[in-house]
Protein backbone atom coordinates (compact mmCIF):
# COMPACT_ATOMS: atom_id res chain seq x y z
CA UNK A 1 0.00 0.00 0.00
CA UNK A 2 1.06 3.67 0.05
CA UNK A 3 3.25 5.16 2.77
CA UNK A 4 1.19 8.35 2.88
CA UNK A 5 -2.02 9.35 4.63
CA UNK A 6 -4.80 11.25 2.92
CA UNK A 7 -4.58 14.04 5.52
CA UNK A 8 -0.94 14.65 4.56
CA UNK A 9 -2.11 16.38 1.37
CA UNK A 10 -4.40 18.90 3.02
CA UNK A 11 -8.08 18.91 3.91
CA UNK A 12 -9.45 20.03 0.54
CA UNK A 13 -7.00 18.12 -1.64
CA UNK A 14 -8.79 16.18 -4.39
CA UNK A 15 -7.90 12.70 -5.58
CA UNK A 16 -9.16 11.55 -8.93
CA UNK A 17 -8.52 9.31 -11.89
CA UNK A 18 -8.37 10.42 -15.50
CA UNK A 19 -9.45 9.14 -18.90
CA UNK A 20 -10.05 10.53 -22.40
CA UNK A 21 -12.97 10.02 -24.76
CA UNK A 22 -11.24 8.37 -27.70
CA UNK A 23 -9.29 6.03 -25.44
CA UNK A 24 -12.27 4.53 -23.60
CA UNK A 25 -15.64 5.35 -25.21
CA UNK A 26 -15.86 3.27 -28.38
CA UNK A 27 -19.45 4.02 -29.35
CA UNK A 28 -18.78 5.12 -32.92
CA UNK A 29 -22.52 5.37 -33.40
CA UNK A 30 -25.54 7.55 -32.57
CA UNK A 31 -24.44 10.35 -34.84
CA UNK A 32 -20.79 10.61 -33.73
CA UNK A 33 -18.68 12.10 -36.53
CA UNK A 34 -15.29 10.86 -37.70
CA UNK A 35 -12.15 12.03 -35.89
CA UNK A 36 -8.55 12.28 -37.06
CA UNK A 37 -7.74 9.29 -34.84
CA UNK A 38 -10.29 7.13 -36.68
CA UNK A 39 -8.47 7.78 -39.95
CA UNK A 40 -4.91 7.87 -38.54
CA UNK A 41 -5.34 4.56 -36.70
CA UNK A 42 -6.76 2.76 -39.73
CA UNK A 43 -3.82 3.91 -41.86
CA UNK A 44 -1.27 1.05 -41.81
CA UNK A 45 1.97 1.77 -39.99
CA UNK A 46 0.66 4.44 -37.63
CA UNK A 47 -0.56 2.32 -34.73
CA UNK A 48 0.66 -0.97 -33.20
CA UNK A 49 -1.23 -3.76 -35.00
CA UNK A 50 -3.34 -1.01 -36.63
CA UNK A 51 -5.49 -1.07 -33.51
CA UNK A 52 -8.21 1.59 -33.28
CA UNK A 53 -10.54 3.12 -30.67
CA UNK A 54 -13.57 1.69 -32.45
CA UNK A 55 -14.64 -0.30 -29.39
CA UNK A 56 -11.99 0.61 -26.77
CA UNK A 57 -13.50 0.01 -23.30
CA UNK A 58 -17.11 0.40 -24.49
CA UNK A 59 -17.45 3.19 -21.97
CA UNK A 60 -20.22 4.66 -24.12
CA UNK A 61 -22.38 1.81 -22.79
CA UNK A 62 -20.59 0.83 -19.59
CA UNK A 63 -20.13 4.26 -18.04
CA UNK A 64 -22.33 3.50 -14.94
CA UNK A 65 -20.01 0.65 -13.95
CA UNK A 66 -16.96 2.84 -14.51
CA UNK A 67 -18.38 5.65 -12.39
CA UNK A 68 -19.13 3.07 -9.69
CA UNK A 69 -15.47 2.04 -9.75
CA UNK A 70 -14.47 5.66 -9.15
CA UNK A 71 -16.95 6.02 -6.29
CA UNK A 72 -16.02 2.66 -4.73
CA UNK A 73 -12.37 3.65 -4.92
CA UNK A 74 -13.10 6.69 -2.79
CA UNK A 75 -12.10 9.16 -5.50
CA UNK A 76 -13.36 12.73 -5.21
CA UNK A 77 -13.20 13.67 -8.88
CA UNK A 78 -13.19 12.29 -12.39
CA UNK A 79 -11.12 13.85 -15.19
CA UNK A 80 -12.80 13.00 -18.50
CA UNK A 81 -12.95 14.55 -21.97
CA UNK A 82 -15.75 15.46 -24.33
CA UNK A 83 -15.47 14.01 -27.83
CA UNK A 84 -15.83 17.03 -30.13
CA UNK A 85 -17.05 14.82 -33.03
CA UNK A 86 -19.71 13.26 -30.81
CA UNK A 87 -21.16 16.66 -29.93
CA UNK A 88 -20.63 18.48 -33.25
CA UNK A 89 -20.01 15.78 -35.88
CA UNK A 90 -18.66 18.19 -38.49
CA UNK A 91 -16.79 20.26 -35.89
CA UNK A 92 -18.89 23.33 -36.59
CA UNK A 93 -22.62 23.80 -37.03
CA UNK A 94 -25.15 21.03 -36.35
CA UNK A 95 -25.19 19.60 -32.82
CA UNK A 96 -25.73 15.85 -32.31
CA UNK A 97 -28.45 15.62 -29.65
CA UNK A 98 -27.59 11.98 -28.86
CA UNK A 99 -24.10 13.18 -28.03
CA UNK A 100 -25.47 15.84 -25.72
CA UNK A 101 -27.72 13.23 -24.09
CA UNK A 102 -24.75 10.90 -23.47
CA UNK A 103 -22.71 13.53 -21.68
CA UNK A 104 -25.79 14.73 -19.78
CA UNK A 105 -26.24 11.21 -18.38
CA UNK A 106 -22.52 10.82 -17.72
CA UNK A 107 -22.17 14.12 -15.83
CA UNK A 108 -25.37 13.58 -13.85
CA UNK A 109 -24.04 10.12 -13.01
CA UNK A 110 -20.87 11.68 -11.61
CA UNK A 111 -22.82 14.15 -9.49
CA UNK A 112 -25.14 11.42 -8.18
CA UNK A 113 -22.03 9.55 -6.96
CA UNK A 114 -20.41 12.61 -5.41
CA UNK A 115 -17.74 12.80 -8.12
CA UNK A 116 -16.59 16.28 -9.19
CA UNK A 117 -16.51 16.52 -13.04
CA UNK A 118 -13.13 17.78 -14.27
CA UNK A 119 -13.76 18.22 -17.98
CA UNK A 120 -11.33 18.51 -20.87
CA UNK A 121 -12.74 20.01 -24.06
CA UNK A 122 -10.10 18.61 -26.40
CA UNK A 123 -8.10 15.43 -25.89
CA UNK A 124 -6.86 14.94 -29.46
CA UNK A 125 -9.93 13.66 -31.35
CA UNK A 126 -10.34 16.51 -33.84
CA UNK A 127 -13.36 16.15 -36.16
CA UNK A 128 -12.11 14.93 -39.53
CA UNK A 129 -14.18 17.63 -41.26
CA UNK A 130 -12.00 20.28 -39.59
CA UNK A 131 -8.83 18.46 -40.58
CA UNK A 132 -10.16 18.64 -44.14
CA UNK A 133 -10.01 22.44 -43.69
CA UNK A 134 -6.42 22.34 -42.44
CA UNK A 135 -7.02 21.47 -38.80
CA UNK A 136 -4.44 23.05 -36.47
CA UNK A 137 -2.69 24.61 -39.47
CA UNK A 138 -5.68 26.85 -40.13
CA UNK A 139 -5.92 29.94 -37.93
CA UNK A 140 -9.72 29.66 -38.10
CA UNK A 141 -9.49 26.73 -35.67
CA UNK A 142 -9.33 29.29 -32.87
CA UNK A 143 -12.90 30.35 -33.65
CA UNK A 144 -14.10 26.81 -34.41
CA UNK A 145 -12.75 25.70 -31.02
CA UNK A 146 -14.18 28.70 -29.15
CA UNK A 147 -17.63 28.06 -30.63
CA UNK A 148 -17.40 24.41 -29.55
CA UNK A 149 -16.28 25.48 -26.06
CA UNK A 150 -19.29 27.80 -25.72
CA UNK A 151 -21.62 25.02 -26.86
CA UNK A 152 -20.22 22.75 -24.14
CA UNK A 153 -20.53 25.52 -21.57
CA UNK A 154 -24.17 26.21 -22.48
CA UNK A 155 -25.10 22.54 -22.21
CA UNK A 156 -22.99 21.38 -19.27
CA UNK A 157 -21.15 24.33 -17.71
CA UNK A 158 -23.48 24.61 -14.72
CA UNK A 159 -22.41 21.11 -13.56
CA UNK A 160 -18.67 21.11 -14.27
CA UNK A 161 -16.19 21.60 -11.40
CA UNK A 162 -13.46 22.73 -13.78
CA UNK A 163 -12.99 23.01 -17.53
CA UNK A 164 -9.67 22.54 -19.32
CA UNK A 165 -9.47 23.76 -22.90
CA UNK A 166 -6.73 21.56 -24.34
CA UNK A 167 -4.96 18.43 -23.13
CA UNK A 168 -1.23 18.72 -23.79
CA UNK A 169 -0.74 21.33 -26.53
CA UNK A 170 2.78 19.90 -27.08
CA UNK A 171 1.24 16.58 -28.15
CA UNK A 172 -1.41 18.34 -30.26
CA UNK A 173 1.27 20.36 -32.07
CA UNK A 174 4.84 19.02 -31.90
CA UNK A 175 4.24 15.26 -31.42
CA UNK A 176 1.58 15.32 -34.13
CA UNK A 177 3.02 17.79 -36.66
CA UNK A 178 6.84 17.61 -36.18
CA UNK A 179 7.41 14.04 -35.06
CA UNK A 180 4.43 12.48 -36.85
CA UNK A 181 3.78 10.05 -34.00
CA UNK A 182 0.16 11.10 -33.40
CA UNK A 183 -2.66 12.19 -35.67
CA UNK A 184 -2.62 13.83 -38.18
CA UNK A 185 0.94 12.47 -38.55
CA UNK A 186 2.85 15.39 -40.08
CA UNK A 187 6.65 15.52 -40.04
CA UNK A 188 7.10 19.14 -41.04
CA UNK A 189 8.64 22.03 -39.09
CA UNK A 190 6.40 24.60 -40.79
CA UNK A 191 3.31 22.63 -39.79
CA UNK A 192 4.71 22.21 -36.28
CA UNK A 193 5.42 25.93 -35.88
CA UNK A 194 1.95 26.93 -37.01
CA UNK A 195 0.19 24.27 -34.95
CA UNK A 196 2.30 25.22 -31.91
CA UNK A 197 0.92 28.73 -32.13
CA UNK A 198 -2.63 28.01 -33.26
CA UNK A 199 -3.22 25.51 -30.44
CA UNK A 200 -2.44 28.23 -27.86
CA UNK A 201 -4.36 30.86 -29.81
CA UNK A 202 -7.36 28.51 -29.79
CA UNK A 203 -6.95 28.04 -26.04
CA UNK A 204 -6.91 31.78 -25.34
CA UNK A 205 -9.74 32.52 -27.75
CA UNK A 206 -11.87 29.86 -26.03
CA UNK A 207 -11.05 31.19 -22.57
CA UNK A 208 -12.20 34.67 -23.60
CA UNK A 209 -15.38 33.27 -25.17
CA UNK A 210 -16.13 31.21 -22.04
CA UNK A 211 -15.52 34.22 -19.79
CA UNK A 212 -18.06 36.18 -21.85
CA UNK A 213 -20.57 33.41 -21.06
CA UNK A 214 -19.76 33.50 -17.35
CA UNK A 215 -17.37 30.56 -17.46
CA UNK A 216 -15.49 29.84 -14.23
CA UNK A 217 -12.68 27.52 -13.06
CA UNK A 218 -11.07 27.55 -16.50
CA UNK A 219 -7.63 26.17 -17.22
CA UNK A 220 -5.41 24.18 -19.54
CA UNK A 221 -3.43 20.95 -19.10
CA UNK A 222 0.20 20.78 -20.24
CA UNK A 223 2.63 17.87 -20.08
CA UNK A 224 6.12 18.28 -18.78
CA UNK A 225 9.37 16.36 -18.92
CA UNK A 226 12.53 17.09 -16.95
CA UNK A 227 15.21 17.38 -19.65
CA UNK A 228 18.77 16.61 -18.54
CA UNK A 229 22.07 16.43 -20.42
CA UNK A 230 23.20 12.90 -21.30
CA UNK A 231 26.65 14.14 -20.19
CA UNK A 232 27.92 17.32 -18.55
CA UNK A 233 29.42 18.44 -21.87
CA UNK A 234 28.20 21.95 -22.83
CA UNK A 235 26.77 20.70 -26.13
CA UNK A 236 24.71 18.02 -24.38
CA UNK A 237 23.56 20.43 -21.71
CA UNK A 238 22.60 22.75 -24.55
CA UNK A 239 20.60 19.98 -26.20
CA UNK A 240 18.69 19.42 -22.95
CA UNK A 241 18.03 23.14 -22.64
CA UNK A 242 16.67 23.27 -26.18
CA UNK A 243 14.39 20.29 -25.49
CA UNK A 244 13.24 21.99 -22.29
CA UNK A 245 12.30 24.92 -24.51
CA UNK A 246 10.46 22.79 -27.05
CA UNK A 247 8.59 20.65 -24.51
CA UNK A 248 8.13 22.93 -21.51
CA UNK A 249 9.01 26.60 -21.98
CA UNK A 250 7.14 27.15 -25.27
CA UNK A 251 3.91 26.61 -23.34
CA UNK A 252 4.89 28.06 -19.96
CA UNK A 253 6.36 31.25 -21.48
CA UNK A 254 3.53 31.59 -23.98
CA UNK A 255 0.74 31.06 -21.47
CA UNK A 256 2.15 32.92 -18.47
CA UNK A 257 4.62 35.46 -19.93
CA UNK A 258 2.94 36.23 -23.23
CA UNK A 259 6.04 35.50 -25.31
CA UNK A 260 7.67 32.45 -26.82
CA UNK A 261 11.18 31.43 -25.75
CA UNK A 262 13.78 32.90 -28.09
CA UNK A 263 15.85 29.71 -28.35
CA UNK A 264 12.91 27.75 -29.76
CA UNK A 265 11.63 30.69 -31.81
CA UNK A 266 15.06 30.82 -33.49
CA UNK A 267 14.17 27.49 -35.10
CA UNK A 268 10.46 28.16 -35.66
CA UNK A 269 10.62 31.82 -36.72
CA UNK A 270 10.76 31.35 -40.54
CA UNK A 271 7.63 29.18 -40.31
CA UNK A 272 5.47 31.04 -37.82
CA UNK A 273 2.16 32.59 -38.92
CA UNK A 274 2.43 36.25 -39.91
CA UNK A 275 1.86 38.67 -37.02
CA UNK A 276 1.78 35.87 -34.43
CA UNK A 277 3.21 38.33 -31.90
CA UNK A 278 -0.06 40.27 -32.08
CA UNK A 279 -1.84 37.20 -30.68
CA UNK A 280 0.18 36.82 -27.52
CA UNK A 281 -2.20 38.77 -25.30
CA UNK A 282 -4.92 36.26 -26.26
CA UNK A 283 -2.55 33.30 -25.83
CA UNK A 284 -1.72 34.47 -22.30
CA UNK A 285 -5.29 35.28 -21.26
CA UNK A 286 -5.41 34.71 -17.48
CA UNK A 287 -6.70 31.31 -16.32
CA UNK A 288 -7.90 30.08 -12.95
CA UNK A 289 -5.86 26.87 -12.53
CA UNK A 290 -3.16 24.94 -14.35
CA UNK A 291 -3.00 21.19 -15.02
CA UNK A 292 0.36 19.40 -14.93
CA UNK A 293 0.81 16.01 -16.60
CA UNK A 294 4.08 14.33 -15.65
CA UNK A 295 5.48 10.87 -16.33
CA UNK A 296 9.24 10.88 -16.69
CA UNK A 297 12.53 12.62 -17.46
CA UNK A 298 14.61 12.59 -20.64
CA UNK A 299 18.38 12.55 -21.25
CA UNK A 300 19.52 14.45 -24.35
CA UNK A 301 22.71 14.77 -26.35
CA UNK A 302 23.81 17.13 -29.10
CA UNK A 303 23.14 15.63 -32.54
CA UNK A 304 24.19 18.05 -35.30
CA UNK A 305 23.05 15.66 -38.01
CA UNK A 306 19.44 15.91 -36.80
CA UNK A 307 18.70 19.06 -38.81
CA UNK A 308 16.03 21.42 -37.48
CA UNK A 309 16.49 20.50 -33.83
CA UNK A 310 20.05 19.10 -33.35
CA UNK A 311 19.38 16.82 -30.42
CA UNK A 312 18.62 13.20 -29.63
CA UNK A 313 17.11 11.45 -26.60
CA UNK A 314 19.36 8.75 -25.14
CA UNK A 315 18.50 5.72 -23.07
CA UNK A 316 18.80 6.37 -19.34
CA UNK A 317 19.93 3.99 -16.56
CA UNK A 318 16.90 4.20 -14.26
CA UNK A 319 14.19 1.57 -13.87
CA UNK A 320 11.73 1.88 -16.73
CA UNK A 321 8.02 1.26 -17.21
CA UNK A 322 6.64 -1.04 -19.91
CA UNK A 323 6.50 1.90 -22.30
CA UNK A 324 10.22 2.54 -21.76
CA UNK A 325 9.93 5.70 -19.65
CA UNK A 326 12.35 6.08 -16.72
CA UNK A 327 10.78 6.23 -13.27
CA UNK A 328 11.90 9.61 -11.88
CA UNK A 329 9.52 10.94 -9.23
CA UNK A 330 11.91 13.74 -8.27
CA UNK A 331 11.03 15.26 -11.61
CA UNK A 332 7.45 15.89 -10.54
CA UNK A 333 8.63 17.83 -7.48
CA UNK A 334 11.00 19.81 -9.71
CA UNK A 335 8.32 20.67 -12.27
CA UNK A 336 5.70 21.68 -9.70
CA UNK A 337 8.09 23.89 -7.74
CA UNK A 338 9.51 25.44 -10.94
CA UNK A 339 6.06 26.37 -12.25
CA UNK A 340 4.95 27.88 -8.94
CA UNK A 341 8.25 29.72 -8.41
CA UNK A 342 8.84 31.01 -11.95
CA UNK A 343 5.47 31.22 -13.67
CA UNK A 344 2.26 31.37 -11.66
CA UNK A 345 0.71 31.21 -8.22
CA UNK A 346 -2.68 29.93 -9.39
CA UNK A 347 -3.72 26.48 -8.11
CA UNK A 348 -2.01 23.51 -9.73
CA UNK A 349 -3.48 20.05 -10.27
CA UNK A 350 -1.47 17.00 -11.22
CA UNK A 351 -3.91 16.01 -13.94
CA UNK A 352 -2.02 12.91 -15.13
CA UNK A 353 0.61 10.67 -13.61
CA UNK A 354 0.92 6.91 -13.92
CA UNK A 355 2.79 4.03 -15.52
CA UNK A 356 2.34 1.32 -18.10
CA UNK A 357 2.66 -2.40 -17.49
CA UNK A 358 1.99 -5.09 -20.04
CA UNK A 359 -0.51 -7.25 -18.18
CA UNK A 360 -1.79 -8.47 -14.84
CA UNK A 361 -3.89 -7.23 -11.95
CA UNK A 362 -1.23 -7.51 -9.25
CA UNK A 363 0.92 -4.46 -9.88
CA UNK A 364 3.40 -3.71 -7.06
CA UNK A 365 5.58 -1.64 -9.41
CA UNK A 366 2.66 0.65 -10.13
CA UNK A 367 1.97 1.01 -6.40
CA UNK A 368 5.61 1.99 -5.87
CA UNK A 369 5.42 4.42 -8.83
CA UNK A 370 2.35 6.15 -7.43
CA UNK A 371 3.78 6.17 -3.92
CA UNK A 372 6.94 7.88 -5.11
CA UNK A 373 5.10 10.50 -7.15
CA UNK A 374 2.60 11.20 -4.36
CA UNK A 375 5.65 11.83 -2.19
CA UNK A 376 6.88 14.29 -4.81
CA UNK A 377 3.58 16.17 -4.56
CA UNK A 378 3.99 16.42 -0.79
CA UNK A 379 7.56 17.65 -1.21
CA UNK A 380 6.45 20.29 -3.72
CA UNK A 381 3.68 21.44 -1.39
CA UNK A 382 6.24 21.81 1.39
CA UNK A 383 8.31 24.00 -0.97
CA UNK A 384 5.34 26.29 -1.57
CA UNK A 385 3.63 24.83 -4.65
CA UNK A 386 -0.15 25.25 -4.35
CA UNK A 387 -1.05 21.74 -5.50
CA UNK A 388 -4.78 21.18 -5.02
CA UNK A 389 -5.27 17.71 -6.49
CA UNK A 390 -3.87 14.59 -8.12
CA UNK A 391 -5.33 12.39 -10.88
CA UNK A 392 -3.92 8.95 -11.61
CA UNK A 393 -3.63 8.02 -15.27
CA UNK A 394 -5.70 6.04 -15.82
CA UNK A 395 -8.89 4.67 -14.28
CA UNK A 396 -9.01 1.91 -16.91
CA UNK A 397 -6.59 0.12 -19.18
CA UNK A 398 -7.39 1.82 -22.48
CA UNK A 399 -6.33 2.66 -26.03
CA UNK A 400 -2.79 3.98 -25.67
CA UNK A 401 -2.77 5.86 -29.00
CA UNK A 402 0.03 4.71 -31.33
CA UNK A 403 0.90 1.91 -28.87
CA UNK A 404 -2.57 0.40 -29.21
CA UNK A 405 -3.88 -1.70 -26.30
CA UNK A 406 -0.72 -3.50 -25.16
CA UNK A 407 0.55 -0.76 -22.87
CA UNK A 408 -1.79 -0.80 -19.90
CA UNK A 409 -1.96 2.28 -17.61
CA UNK A 410 -5.14 1.37 -15.75
CA UNK A 411 -5.82 1.11 -12.05
CA UNK A 412 -8.49 -1.27 -13.31
CA UNK A 413 -7.70 -4.10 -15.73
CA UNK A 414 -9.91 -4.41 -18.83
CA UNK A 415 -10.33 -7.71 -20.68
CA UNK A 416 -11.06 -6.32 -24.14
CA UNK A 417 -12.69 -9.56 -25.30
CA UNK A 418 -15.28 -9.55 -22.52
CA UNK A 419 -14.99 -5.92 -21.35
CA UNK A 420 -14.70 -7.28 -17.79
CA UNK A 421 -13.25 -4.76 -15.37
CA UNK A 422 -10.96 -6.07 -12.57
CA UNK A 423 -9.49 -3.66 -9.98
CA UNK A 424 -5.72 -4.04 -9.69
CA UNK A 425 -3.80 -3.95 -6.42
CA UNK A 426 -2.91 -0.34 -7.24
CA UNK A 427 -6.65 0.47 -7.25
CA UNK A 428 -6.87 -1.15 -3.82
CA UNK A 429 -3.94 0.97 -2.67
CA UNK A 430 -5.81 4.14 -3.61
CA UNK A 431 -9.01 2.76 -2.08
CA UNK A 432 -7.16 2.16 1.18
CA UNK A 433 -5.59 5.63 1.09
CA UNK A 434 -8.90 7.31 0.33
CA UNK A 435 -11.40 5.26 2.36
CA UNK A 436 -9.23 3.42 4.86
CA UNK A 437 -10.62 0.11 3.65
CA UNK A 438 -10.28 -2.36 0.83
CA UNK A 439 -13.79 -3.08 -0.35
CA UNK A 440 -15.62 -3.60 -3.60
CA UNK A 441 -19.29 -3.09 -4.36
C1 LIG B 1 4.22 12.07 -23.69
O1 LIG B 1 3.75 11.77 -22.39
C2 LIG B 1 2.67 12.59 -22.01
O2 LIG B 1 2.94 13.32 -20.88
C3 LIG B 1 1.42 11.80 -21.87
C4 LIG B 1 1.21 10.52 -21.41
N1 LIG B 1 -0.13 10.30 -21.58
C5 LIG B 1 -0.67 11.42 -22.14
N2 LIG B 1 0.27 12.33 -22.27
C6 LIG B 1 -2.09 11.55 -22.61
O3 LIG B 1 -2.71 12.68 -22.05
C7 LIG B 1 -2.88 10.29 -22.38
O4 LIG B 1 -3.95 10.29 -23.31
C8 LIG B 1 -1.97 9.06 -22.50
O5 LIG B 1 -2.71 7.86 -22.46
C9 LIG B 1 -0.94 9.10 -21.35
C10 LIG B 1 -0.07 7.84 -21.26
O6 LIG B 1 0.78 7.78 -22.36
Amino acid sequence: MFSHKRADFGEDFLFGAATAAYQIEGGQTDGRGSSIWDTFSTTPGNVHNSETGKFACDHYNRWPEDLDLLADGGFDAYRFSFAWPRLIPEGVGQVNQKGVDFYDRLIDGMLERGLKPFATLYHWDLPSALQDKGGWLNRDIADWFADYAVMVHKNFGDRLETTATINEPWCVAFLSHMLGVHAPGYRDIRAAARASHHVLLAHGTAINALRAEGGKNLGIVCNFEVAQGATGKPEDMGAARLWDGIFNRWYLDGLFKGKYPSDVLAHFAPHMPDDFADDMAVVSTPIDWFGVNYYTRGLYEHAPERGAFPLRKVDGPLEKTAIGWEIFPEGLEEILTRISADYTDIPLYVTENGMAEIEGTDDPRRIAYYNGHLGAVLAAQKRGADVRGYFGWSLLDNYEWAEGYDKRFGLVHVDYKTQKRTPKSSYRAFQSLLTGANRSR
Side-chain angles (χ1 to χ4, degrees):
M1 293 303 155
F2 298 140
S3 60
H4 312 294
K5 294 191 300 302
R6 183 174 186 140
D8 299 343
F9 297 85
E11 192 177 345
D12 300 325
F13 190 88
L14 298 176
F15 283 93
T19 67
Y22 189 78
Q23 295 181 268
I24 65 167
E25 283 183 2
Q28 298 189 359
T29 177
D30 287 351
R32 173 188 177 279
S34 169
S35 82
I36 57 175
W37 267 94
D38 299 320
T39 52
F40 185 78
S41 60
T42 49
T43 306
N46 287 335
V47 176
H48 174 69
N49 290 342
S50 293
E51 290 167 352
T52 77
K54 185 172 176 60
F55 302 105
C57 306
D58 191 29
H59 180 73
Y60 185 68
N61 296 301
R62 298 167 189 266
W63 61 267
E65 176 185 1
D66 296 335
L67 295 186
D68 286 344
L69 282 163
L70 281 158
D72 285 352
F75 291 102
D76 310 300
Y78 176 37
R79 178 174 177 245
F80 71 105
S81 78
F82 291 102
W84 190 345
R86 190 180 297 284
L87 287 168
I88 310 176
E90 298 299 303
V92 293
Q94 185 68 33
V95 168
N96 173 30
Q97 188 55 47
K98 287 186 176 178
V100 173
D101 296 345
F102 168 67
Y103 290 113
D104 259 340
R105 292 192 298 271
L106 182 68
I107 292 165
D108 287 345
M110 291 179 218
L111 298 177
E112 286 156 14
R113 293 167 176 81
L115 296 165
K116 297 179 188 301
F118 275 58
T120 301
L121 297 176
Y122 184 72
H123 200 126
W124 307 352
D125 44 359
L126 188 72
S128 299
L130 299 185
Q131 187 62 40
D132 296 344
K133 298 176 183 175
W136 294 102
L137 305 189
N138 185 338
R139 182 188 175 83
D140 291 344
I141 197 161
D143 293 330
W144 303 335
F145 181 64
D147 291 345
Y148 159 61
V150 167
M151 177 265 173
V152 169
H153 174 78
K154 286 181 173 175
N155 282 278
F156 313 105
D158 59 322
R159 289 167 282 167
L160 300 178
E161 184 74 17
T162 65
T163 301
T165 53
I166 306 270
N167 177 71
E168 301 192 346
W170 178 85
C171 289
V172 173
F174 201 88
L175 185 65
S176 305
H177 293 79
M178 183 75 197
L179 304 181
V181 174
H182 280 190
Y186 280 74
R187 287 194 174 90
D188 180 296
I189 189 168
R190 186 173 182 81
R194 300 166 99 77
S196 297
H197 177 62
H198 290 153
V199 68
L200 294 182
L201 178 62
H203 155 75
T205 304
I207 294 289
N208 283 322
L210 290 168
R211 291 278 190 237
E213 298 289 334
K216 291 181 173 49
N217 296 331
L218 308 177
I220 185 173
V221 171
C222 291
N223 55 313
F224 295 95
E225 184 182 280
V226 170
Q228 298 176 339
T231 71
K233 287 189 290 186
E235 59 270 29
D236 291 345
M237 300 299 282
R241 176 70 182 162
L242 178 56
W243 186 254
D244 175 70
I246 294 165
F247 203 101
N248 302 325
R249 286 182 286 113
W250 182 267
Y251 305 95
L252 288 171
D253 289 11
L255 291 166
F256 295 109
K257 296 183 175 176
K259 65 178 176 53
Y260 292 130
S262 56
D263 55 343
V264 184
L265 207 47
H267 296 270
F268 269 165
H271 314 292
M272 292 293 285
D274 296 339
D275 307 326
F276 74 87
D278 298 341
D279 297 328
M280 296 314 289
V282 172
V283 167
S284 57
T285 298
I287 53 179
D288 304 313
W289 61 274
F290 188 56
V292 173
N293 290 357
Y294 172 83
Y295 288 85
T296 190
R297 71 161 187 187
L299 298 180
Y300 294 88
E301 66 182 5
H302 180 56
E305 77 286 357
R306 296 296 292 270
F309 294 102
L311 52 82
R312 163 187 311 110
K313 187 171 186 176
V314 303
D315 195 33
L318 302 180
E319 182 189 354
K320 295 181 182 67
T321 70
I323 207 166
W325 299 345
E326 283 187 300
I327 298 175
F328 188 66
E330 308 91 308
L332 179 56
E333 177 186 348
E334 180 180 329
I335 289 290
L336 291 169
T337 48
R338 175 185 180 189
I339 292 169
S340 60
D342 300 344
Y343 287 96
T344 181
D345 58 7
I346 62 176
L348 306 178
Y349 289 90
V350 177
T351 32
E352 283 182 35
N353 177 244
M355 68 168 275
E357 291 285 23
I358 293 298
E359 254 298 0
T361 56
D362 180 24
D363 53 349
R365 284 208 322 151
R366 182 176 282 111
I367 292 173
Y369 180 98
Y370 277 123
N371 198 58
H373 288 80
L374 288 170
V377 170
L378 291 171
Q381 286 182 323
K382 287 187 178 65
R383 291 173 60 187
D386 184 8
V387 189
R388 302 281 181 92
Y390 176 95
F391 291 80
W393 182 272
S394 178
L395 172 66
L396 303 172
D397 290 339
N398 60 50
Y399 182 72
E400 181 48 34
W401 307 109
E403 300 282 349
Y405 290 98
D406 276 4
K407 305 295 188 298
R408 293 172 174 265
F409 278 85
L411 291 167
V412 174
H413 179 272
V414 175
D415 179 330
Y416 295 109
K417 292 188 181 64
T418 64
Q419 291 294 356
K420 182 175 184 300
R421 276 79 162 136
T422 308
K424 299 177 187 177
S425 48
S426 54
Y427 172 94
R428 300 290 178 215
F430 272 104
Q431 187 179 54
S432 174
L433 172 72
L434 302 177
T435 68
N438 281 356
R439 57 177 173 74
S440 58
R441 187 172 282 252

